[in-house]
Amino acid sequence: MLLSSSQRPGLSMNLGLRQNPSIPLAPGARYSVPAGQSRVPLTCHAATGSAPAAGLRRRSLQLQRREPEEDDQTSRPVQPKIMDATTTSFSTDEDVPLPPMVDQQYLSDTKFVDFDISSNSKRALVEVLRYERCSLVQAAAIPVCLGPADVVAKAKTGTGKTLAFVIPAIEKVLADRAPRGKVSVLVLSPTRELARQIGAETSRMLSFHPGLHSMVVYGGVNPRSNLREMMSRMPDILIATPGRCWDLMNNPGLQSMLSAVRLLVLDEADNLLDMGFRPQIASILRGLPPTPRRQTFLFSATFPPDVNKLAGVALKRQHEYVDAVGRGEVATHGHVEASCRVVPLECLRGQLLALMALHMAQEPQYKIIVFLPTAHLTAYLAELFVLAGLKKSGLVAIHSRMAQSGRDRASAAFRGGSRQVLFSSDVSARGVDYPGVTLVIQVGAPSSRDQYIHRAGRTGRAGRPGQCTLLLADFEEAFLTQLADLPITRINQPLQLPPPLQQQQQGQQRVDAPMSEGLVREPERAFARAAERIDAETRLSAFKSVLGYYRGHQQMRFSSRQLVDIINGYAVEVMSCPSPPPLSPHFAKKMGVHGVPGLVMSDPAQEEEGQEWQEGEEGEGAGGRGRRQRGGSDGGGGGGGGGSGRRAAAEVEAEEADGGAAATDGVSGGHGTVGGGR
Ligand SMILES: Nc1ncnc2c1ncn2[C@@H]1O[C@H](COP(=O)(O)OP(=O)(O)OP(=O)(O)O)[C@@H](O)[C@H]1O
């Protein structure tokens, strides 16, 4: 194992890594594992190639993946524990044991015992997490994070970034605990599911630290219970979504809870620092000690090219940059088979069905995530597929419009089950570690290139195999330019639906066919019948969310005429509506499509203004990046111009609705967060 720094004395020495004399330490060089040893090109990244931005010291990393030893039992793939989601009930995600990281090539030679960390943390790593060796990012980042510097750390999805900051966070608390009644470490996460996951990992790591306490808070649950718990015992480590954190810190009893924070961690930092979250993050930062007195870690698989832009927001002028992806190395995993299909809109849903059916036929323990553009469309299509004949117990939906309890159930069922499909909006796009996902399908252009990378990263985690397919309608083809440098195979051959799967015998168990024969033999008919059974409100919400999504997309610009064509086609071809649902003039104006030929309008007399705007807040994901405004109303009321429409769509940024939810729960009296939803 080899790791070097950018020749700053002392940096590589305390890493406990063995030097490999056969590999030179050329900055910027790429090294490959000899053929046959690893399918994955190893980037030993020396980040000194281009000038680091002012104030940012690039940590030069040269990492060599550990080669599996011949008799290395642990290098053999371990099948995730299989549980039938229909018969097993999980109260929380944390109840479900995670399978170990299976591909040991993704581990470094560095062992956790080599670090200068507390024996109780080491014990938790051995006895609870059962990890011996660090992943590459852990080997690189933990020693740096244990020091005093602020750190920006980048590593591919699913490579163990969570522990890379959790371990140092615990050590910081042990070394310099905040006074009684105050939080020592604040970890912010953009989504509730990720917050819970970080909380679970932290709890495991605290197993032998009985004096230390962590707590997770997020929107959608009663904030009074958070308040009560915090008042009775303030956590040393608080893991929060930004909205709930802001609400709690504005409660009179908790105003100074963050005033002694020693360490702030922003997980999915690029997401938290983009314009959608930034105002809220900036407000939270004002309640924290200033940067010289506070340490900050930013972690993500993706950062904007100019990382230094983030520096002004949260970091000290001098900070370390740990890059375990490697310059010139792509951000996606080479071991994930990535493909893309561009099809006429009328074939989109059929191809989705075929992709799922083929994968189910080929992969007995399939676990598929289907990412969809908006929360309302996710809800609609999940219902449509089930009514059309996809086995109900085999499909789970999760999106931001669900009650938190439903989200928890969905997440736990998918985490613990196999032979499952998860229809998801972007709430599952980042950070969420569902074990054993065999296929990710992204339907429609993601909101950005980075979002593509994060969604794709839900499979192939920790070196496991996986497949990822991007399924675009022809009008979205331009989005592919965003992904031009990523290894994605374009497939033009349309897929045929395989013959219906019959009941199968798997081991001792009989498993039912995942889809009805009717759906496989006559899908169009099955979908048309199913659509008739979905209520008009659900249909309208999904339809409007599609308009909002494409109206606000940052990388694809459509004229109003094109938009109307797109949504009309979507309604009929994807949603199986007999005709496009009528839009109110108010909403049409908001979206900048009022008066466009082909748009089906409702009777203005039936319009309910207040409700209308709420329903309009659905263009999640695409619209928001860098465009969301606070306050929930653009005050304009429209006009047919694209500017107004884009702004309206932008306002419905894909942020977790937890801020808004918390505000209405009355913790702090509200703060006007736009409660969008992914
Ligand atoms: N040292 C290790 N040994 C074995 N497994 C590990 C190790 N570190 C982490 N893992 C496992 O690897 C998986 C991925 O870890 P984690 O979720 O922290 O990745 P991540 O890099 O934060 O991913 P994302 O970019 O999607 O947020 C988890 O299941 C975790 O338990």
Side-chain angles (χ1 to χ4, degrees):
M1 175 70 205
L2 174 88
L3 182 145
S4 82
S5 78
S6 50
Q7 316 318 317
R8 292 206 314 118
L11 284 184
S12 61
M13 278 135 218
N14 55 0
L15 297 173
L17 303 170
R18 272 191 274 125
Q19 296 280 316
N20 181 344
S22 64
I23 299 180
L25 299 179
R30 291 174 59 138
Y31 302 93
S32 294
V33 176
Q37 293 186 2
S38 169
R39 287 178 56 208
V40 185
L42 168 141
T43 297
C44 299
H45 178 57
T48 51
S50 69
L56 185 145
R57 275 181 283 180
R58 275 186 185 275
R59 172 64 52 130
S60 172
L61 295 177
Q62 305 217 347
L63 297 166
Q64 184 177 7
R65 293 197 172 96
R66 178 184 175 273
E67 303 309 333
E69 286 144 29
E70 233 163 71
D71 60 348
D72 190 346
Q73 293 301 314
T74 52
S75 70
R76 301 213 180 108
V78 173
Q79 283 299 317
K81 192 171 172 190
I82 297 154
M83 294 186 219
D84 183 349
T86 56
T87 55
T88 312
S89 73
F90 303 110
S91 56
T92 65
D93 286 6
E94 294 87 80
D95 294 345
V96 181
L98 288 172
M101 198 179 236
V102 291
D103 188 337
Q104 302 288 302
Q105 290 178 63
Y106 280 77
L107 299 181
S108 72
D109 273 354
T110 308
K111 293 185 174 167
F112 287 109
V113 289
D114 298 336
F115 291 134
D116 185 16
I117 58 175
S118 58
S119 54
N120 286 342
S121 291
K122 288 180 183 173
R123 197 174 154 204
L125 284 158
V126 174
E127 293 179 27
V128 181
L129 287 111
R130 307 201 175 182
Y131 300 154
E132 187 194 7
R133 291 194 308 270
C134 300
S135 68
L136 295 177
V137 66
Q138 290 160 358
I142 289 174
V144 189
C145 291
L146 286 171
D150 280 1
V151 179
V152 177
K154 180 178 168 187
K156 291 189 186 187
T157 51
T159 55
K161 290 186 286 296
T162 315
L163 267 190
F165 64 75
V166 167
I167 293 172
I170 292 171
E171 300 305 309
K172 304 273 164 195
V173 184
L174 292 172
D176 182 20
R177 201 170 179 181
R180 209 181 165 78
K182 291 181 193 283
V183 170
S184 297
V185 175
L186 173 65
V187 181
L188 292 176
S189 145
T191 67
R192 300 170 188 179
E193 281 72 19
L194 181 55
R196 285 166 58 108
Q197 204 174 281
I198 298 166
E201 198 97 320
T202 307
S203 298
R204 288 187 200 109
M205 276 303 300
L206 289 179
S207 301
F208 303 106
H209 290 287
L212 301 191
H213 176 50
S214 68
M215 187 178 159
V216 189
V217 295
Y218 49 81
V221 292
N222 187 346
R224 288 193 191 87
S225 64
N226 291 161
L227 272 174
R228 265 196 305 275
E229 204 181 326
M230 292 180 86
M231 298 281 205
S232 74
R233 189 179 177 191
M234 187 59 73
D236 298 290
I237 301 176
L238 178 66
I239 299 126
T241 50
R244 180 53 59 97
C245 178
W246 173 242
D247 280 325
L248 289 170
M249 65 194 277
N250 277 291
N251 183 274
L254 295 176
Q255 260 160 4
S256 66
M257 70 170 181
L258 300 179
S259 64
V261 160
R262 304 326 197 204
L263 169 66
L264 168 70
V265 182
L266 301 186
D267 196 14
E268 307 296 342
D270 56 326
N271 188 207
L272 287 175
L273 290 171
D274 79 12
M275 289 313 287
F277 278 112
R278 200 182 281 193
Q280 215 163 32
I281 298 292
S283 306
I284 293 170
L285 289 178
R286 283 194 283 276
L288 268 49
T291 42
R293 287 198 275 127
R294 177 196 88 223
Q295 203 175 355
T296 307
F297 301 160
L298 310 185
F299 275 74
S300 187
T302 52
F303 279 106
D306 184 2
V307 179
N308 204 42
K309 276 198 181 139
L310 306 177
V313 186
L315 296 176
K316 287 176 197 157
R317 273 178 56 78
Q318 289 292 320
H319 46 269
E320 300 286 352
Y321 183 44
V322 176
D323 184 351
V325 174
R327 178 160 309 165
E329 172 74 54
V330 294
T332 48
H333 287 290
H335 64 276
V336 171
E337 270 176 52
S339 62
C340 153
R341 293 169 182 274
V342 182
V343 300
L345 183 60
E346 59 268 27
C347 300
L348 191 78
R349 193 191 50 212
Q351 288 296 290
L352 168 62
L353 181 67
L355 272 166
M356 285 167 34
L358 278 168
H359 188 75
M360 288 164 170
Q362 288 159 1
E363 179 64 63
Q365 297 307 324
Y366 62 83
K367 210 160 161 176
I368 305 171
I369 301 183
V370 178
F371 281 108
L372 295 154
T374 73
H376 281 296
L377 188 66
T378 303
Y380 180 90
L381 287 180
E383 194 175 345
L384 186 77
F385 271 74
V386 167
L387 289 172
L390 197 69
K391 199 173 91 178
K392 191 173 179 190
S393 58
L395 189 140
V396 186
I398 190 165
H399 54 81
S400 60
R401 303 284 166 159
M402 287 166 74
Q404 188 56 40
S405 53
R407 272 168 79 159
D408 293 348
R409 273 196 303 277
S411 167
F414 188 67
R415 182 178 295 273
S418 66
R419 296 178 65 79
Q420 291 272 316
V421 182
L422 178 73
F423 274 29
S424 179
S425 64
D426 273 345
V427 289
S428 313
R430 282 176 173 257
V432 186
D433 188 44
Y434 291 121
V437 173
T438 50
L439 172 66
V440 166
I441 305 173
Q442 307 193 38
V443 180
S447 58
S448 66
R449 167 198 158 82
D450 285 353
Q451 205 67 352
Y452 169 86
I453 292 168
H454 286 276
R455 284 162 152 199
R458 295 319 99 202
T459 186
R461 295 177 74 73
R464 297 181 188 96
Q467 293 174 33
C468 171
T469 297
L470 176 63
L471 184 57
L472 299 181
D474 43 15
F475 68 85
E476 300 173 297
E477 189 165 0
F479 181 79
L480 288 179
T481 55
Q482 304 289 320
L483 311 178
D485 61 319
L486 299 178
I488 301 173
T489 308
R490 183 156 175 174
I491 302 174
N492 294 319
Q493 187 76 13
L495 284 172
Q496 301 297 323
L497 263 174
L501 285 175
Q502 304 301 334
Q503 216 180 43
Q504 293 170 330
Q505 191 77 33
Q506 277 180 10
Q508 298 301 306
Q509 254 190 331
R510 281 176 84 76
V511 288
D512 288 338
M515 336 184 151
S516 72
E517 221 175 303
L519 176 59
V520 179
R521 293 206 190 286
E522 287 188 90
E524 289 313 312
R525 202 174 133 110
F527 282 121
R529 283 185 171 176
E532 284 167 14
R533 295 168 60 193
I534 300 181
D535 67 71
E537 204 179 314
T538 307
R539 183 186 303 171
L540 181 63
S541 296
F543 180 63
K544 286 162 69 177
S545 76
V546 174
L547 171 55
Y549 185 78
Y550 288 109
R551 162 54 87 195
H553 203 286
Q554 294 290 290
Q555 272 89 35
M556 297 180 304
R557 305 279 173 173
F558 301 108
S559 69
S560 299
R561 262 178 193 273
Q562 286 171 321
L563 271 176
V564 169
D565 280 351
I566 288 169
I567 57 163
N568 285 349
Y570 223 93
V572 175
E573 306 294 352
V574 181
M575 296 170 59
S576 279
C577 305
S579 60
L583 290 178
S584 71
H586 181 70
F587 185 74
K589 281 179 189 163
K590 285 277 183 199
M591 292 289 133
V593 291
H594 189 252
V596 175
L599 189 72
V600 182
M601 304 280 281
S602 64
D603 179 356
Q606 290 172 1
E607 192 171 314
E608 288 173 53
E609 290 279 318
Q611 187 196 350
E612 189 61 28
W613 173 246
Q614 276 308 101
E615 287 174 354
E617 290 186 355
E618 295 164 10
E620 310 108 21
R625 302 280 170 263
R627 298 177 135 252
R628 192 172 66 95
Q629 298 172 6
R630 299 183 124 227
S633 165
D634 65 4
S644 163
R646 295 197 76 80
R647 194 164 62 249
E651 283 183 349
V652 294
E653 154 67 355
E655 185 195 335
E656 284 281 45
D658 64 314
T664 53
D665 287 339
V667 179
S668 64
H671 52 83
T673 307
V674 177
R678 290 174 176 168

